[in-house]
Amino acid sequence: MNNRLKVLRAERDWSQAHLAEQLGVSRQTVNALETGRYDPSLPLAFKIARVFGQPIEAIFIDAE
């Protein structure tokens, strides 16, 4: 699954550590999400959407 996390984070000038703190996860988890090595759980995806104020579909793109 592709995502726009890195772009959204950069637009806000947030570090991976800052985003991780807001989400309650490690910086390594944020890195794994951004590089596509890890797909978030549904609760984490909803939390990410809330942090960025966007619907899940605007952040995560199905890469079929």
Side-chain angles (χ1 to χ4, degrees), residues 12-64:
R12 289 156 179 80
D13 200 29
W14 292 350
S15 66
Q16 286 183 341
H18 178 78
L19 178 56
E21 185 177 310
Q22 290 190 45
L23 296 173
V25 300
S26 69
R27 184 201 57 78
Q28 290 84 357
T29 298
V30 170
N31 182 271
L33 287 164
E34 287 184 355
T35 58
R37 291 187 320 243
Y38 173 70
D39 288 336
S41 65
L42 193 53
L44 180 55
F46 274 107
K47 194 180 272 190
I48 291 167
R50 277 194 302 275
V51 165
F52 287 111
Q54 296 194 14
I56 290 174
E57 300 84 11
I59 300 171
F60 297 97
I61 301 100
D62 188 12
E64 277 190 32

